[in-house]
């Protein structure tokens, strides 16, 4: 993964969140709802709910929205049943894409994802066609402008906390952990007053596919279309897109 930063994707995602905050909060509430429904409403005893709540707080979702989603899930309401579904495929230029959804209608979800792929020069594939290109890891991203530690000082704390790896980029420090150790590493670093731009257990690509300008533009349009879908929770990809393409979109 050396040389490839999650920073651009995080910045782009946060810019999109700022312009579509209501839609983002709805997706986060759905994720909290499902976690609380399946594992109980106490984040201290439900790791999935704790991760969902932390993700919501990092997006500045109000506490009352979080509490409402938990209370709705742990009540006696059976008005909706969400199912976790993952679709895989290839985007423009052969970039690998995984789309994770929470939906109450699999047929609608599949049709919507297939339409997004086909409209933007991609192809939805069979389950397993690209998942082998990704690995599940904990990811913690720090904005370099918001931390007083230098690289060596931070590296020492990261090692002591039990993280697997730290990468240094122009604008960010990116820390990677075993998924099982993610929460412990995050808690230990937060105790040292370290704050994160992004903190999540995610799917990270093992290799990247570089996209030329037109394919890069089409890829960003495909990602926008997928992320605008109410059922889509996360989109993972291995596209390496030049900064100029991001700036033009």
């Amino acid at each position: 993964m050396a040389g490839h930063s999650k920073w651009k994707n995080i910045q782009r995602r946060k810019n999109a969140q700022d312009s579509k905050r209501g839609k983002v909060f709805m997706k986060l509430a759905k994720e909290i709802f499902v976690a609380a429904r399946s594992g109980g409403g106490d984040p201290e005893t439900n790791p999935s709910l704790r991760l969902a709540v932390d993700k919501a707080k990092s997006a500045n979702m109000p506490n009352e929205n979080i509490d409402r989603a938990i209370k709705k899930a742990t009540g006696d309401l059976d008005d909706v049943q969400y199912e976790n579904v993952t679709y895989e495929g290839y985007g423009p230029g052969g970039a690998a894409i995984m789309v994770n959804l929470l939906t109450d209608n699999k047929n609608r979800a599949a049709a919507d994802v297939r339409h997004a792929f086909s409209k933007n020069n991609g192809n939805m594939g069979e389950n397993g066609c690209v998942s082998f290109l990704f690995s599940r890891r904990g990811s913690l991203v720090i904005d370099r402008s918001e931390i007083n530690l230098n690289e060596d000082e931070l590296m020492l704390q990261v090692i002591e906390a039990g993280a697997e790896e730290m990468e240094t980029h122009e604008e960010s420090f990116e820390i990677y952990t075993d998924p099982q150790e993610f929460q412990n590493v995050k808690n230990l670093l937060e105790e040292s007053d370290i704050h994160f731009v992004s903190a999540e257990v995610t799917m990270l690509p093992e290799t990247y596919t570089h996209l030329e300008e037109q394919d890069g533009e089409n890829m960003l349009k495909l990602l926008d279309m997928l992320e605008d879908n109410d059922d889509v929770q996360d989109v993972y990809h291995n596209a390496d897109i030049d900064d100029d393409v991001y700036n033009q979109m």
Side-chain angles (χ1 to χ4, degrees):
M1 290 185 298
H4 291 275
S5 172
K6 286 172 61 66
W7 185 254
K8 284 186 296 186
N9 286 338
I10 291 167
Q11 287 181 312
R12 182 170 172 274
R13 184 196 313 166
K14 286 192 173 294
N15 288 338
Q17 288 176 349
D18 288 341
S19 64
K20 303 176 183 177
R21 191 156 298 278
K23 183 181 289 289
V24 172
F25 286 170
M26 181 182 67
K27 293 185 178 187
L28 291 169
K30 188 189 295 186
E31 190 169 340
I32 292 168
F33 177 94
V34 171
R37 173 67 64 89
S38 61
D42 184 359
E44 295 301 318
T45 59
N46 182 347
S48 295
L49 178 59
R50 184 167 63 243
L51 286 174
V53 169
D54 285 348
K55 185 176 178 181
K57 288 182 176 180
S58 70
N60 296 317
M61 184 173 178
N63 288 331
E64 62 185 42
N65 294 36
I66 296 172
D67 293 339
R68 187 184 307 119
I70 294 174
K71 289 176 181 177
K72 183 177 180 181
T74 54
D76 296 325
L77 299 176
D78 291 317
D79 55 334
V80 62
Q81 293 292 330
Y82 292 114
E83 187 172 357
N84 197 318
V85 186
T86 299
Y87 297 112
E88 304 177 32
Y90 293 93
I97 303 175
M98 295 179 63
V99 188
N100 186 42
L101 304 91
L102 284 173
T103 182
D104 58 354
N105 188 325
K106 283 181 64 176
N107 291 333
R108 181 193 66 221
D112 288 347
V113 172
R114 184 175 292 107
H115 174 66
F117 272 93
S118 63
K119 185 175 181 179
N120 295 282
N121 297 332
N123 293 285
M124 197 164 85
E126 300 293 330
N127 287 343
C129 67
V130 300
S131 57
F132 68 94
L133 296 171
F134 297 82
S135 61
R136 189 168 181 266
R137 300 184 79 188
S139 170
L140 301 151
V141 181
I142 301 169
D143 184 345
R144 292 189 67 165
S145 67
E146 296 181 0
I147 189 170
N148 294 323
L149 300 174
N150 62 38
E151 181 180 355
D152 291 338
E153 291 170 333
L154 179 60
M155 176 67 81
L156 181 61
Q157 293 202 29
V158 166
I159 292 173
E160 290 178 345
E164 293 181 337
E165 181 183 2
M166 186 181 89
E167 293 182 1
T168 301
H169 300 277
E170 182 178 351
E171 297 178 308
S172 66
F173 294 112
E174 302 181 14
I175 301 161
Y176 300 102
T177 77
D178 181 281
Q180 301 301 320
E181 295 298 321
F182 168 79
Q183 194 65 48
N184 186 52
V185 172
K186 179 175 180 289
N187 290 344
L188 288 172
L189 292 175
E190 285 179 334
E191 288 175 3
S192 299
D193 203 29
I194 295 173
H195 304 285
F196 308 103
V197 174
S198 171
E200 59 186 343
V201 176
T202 186
M203 299 295 289
L204 295 176
E206 299 287 352
T207 61
Y208 286 79
T209 299
H210 180 74
L211 301 183
E212 300 297 334
E213 183 172 352
Q214 188 59 56
D215 284 337
E217 290 180 5
N218 287 334
M219 182 68 176
L220 292 181
K221 290 176 182 177
L222 171 55
L223 296 177
D224 281 339
M225 192 169 178
L226 289 170
E227 290 170 353
D228 198 44
N229 187 307
D230 290 345
D231 288 337
V232 172
Q233 296 297 112
D234 296 290
V235 181
Y236 310 114
H237 67 86
N238 74 342
D240 176 22
I241 303 173
D242 292 336
D243 288 343
D244 290 344
V245 178
Y246 280 94
N247 295 334
Q248 292 170 10
M249 298 298 288

